[in-house]
Amino acid sequence: KDSKSRIQEEKYHAMIGDIAKQWKFLDREWDADDMKRLCIDQFKRDTKDDFADEWRKMKFKMAPSFDSSGVVMLGDQSRRFSVKLASAFIEWLYALGTENNVKWTEPFPDDWMKK
């Protein structure tokens, strides 16, 4: 199985923590769990064409909200990321952080792109 590595998971969780602490999206603070959901959703939207095969493997589903006022994405979970998708997510997080003046607090080895 081409599942992401533990070091990739640790890296993107630390990065999401930095983003959540330092960037106010919509002029408000978000906890790391909420920021992770926001990041994964936007990452998927930004990469849906480039990584269509990877996203298709994850078999995401959509459902209407209970009150039919919107759509809920089901299954957007990083635990199902492949090595390739996790690497791309980390690069995407670097770009998001750079655009929003995030200072990274966790040093990580350069082998996060490997399994």
Side-chain angles (χ1 to χ4, degrees):
K1 188 176 177 185
D2 190 25
S3 187
K4 67 173 172 10
S5 69
R6 181 72 182 142
I7 196 154
Q8 287 177 310
E9 184 177 352
E10 290 171 359
K11 182 166 181 70
Y12 65 66
H13 278 121
M15 294 175 78
I16 291 166
D18 287 341
I19 292 167
K21 288 176 190 165
Q22 298 176 45
W23 179 44
K24 288 187 176 180
F25 172 62
L26 297 177
D27 288 324
R28 66 171 278 206
E29 293 180 8
W30 301 83
D31 67 26
D33 286 339
D34 290 340
M35 184 57 73
K36 180 179 176 184
R37 302 290 171 252
L38 289 164
C39 286
I40 290 172
D41 179 76
Q42 190 60 51
F43 171 65
K44 182 179 178 190
R45 292 170 194 273
D46 289 351
T47 64
K48 67 181 177 348
D49 295 329
D50 295 331
F51 294 102
D53 290 340
E54 295 291 317
W55 290 116
R56 215 174 350 268
K57 288 178 197 174
M58 294 177 66
K59 297 184 175 120
F60 292 113
K61 299 174 274 187
M62 292 188 296
S65 60
F66 290 148
D67 66 0
S68 299
S69 66
V71 176
V72 178
M73 292 297 296
L74 307 171
D76 280 348
Q77 297 179 0
S78 61
R79 69 177 173 200
R80 296 165 56 195
F81 280 6
S82 64
V83 170
K84 182 178 179 179
L85 206 53
S87 293
F89 186 48
I90 290 167
E91 289 292 333
W92 185 90
L93 289 170
Y94 272 128
L96 178 70
T98 298
E99 290 171 6
N100 293 286
N101 301 311
V102 171
K103 305 291 184 249
W104 307 115
T105 59
E106 283 291 326
F108 279 91
D110 290 332
D111 62 352
W112 57 265
M113 292 181 74
K114 302 175 192 160
K115 188 170 182 180

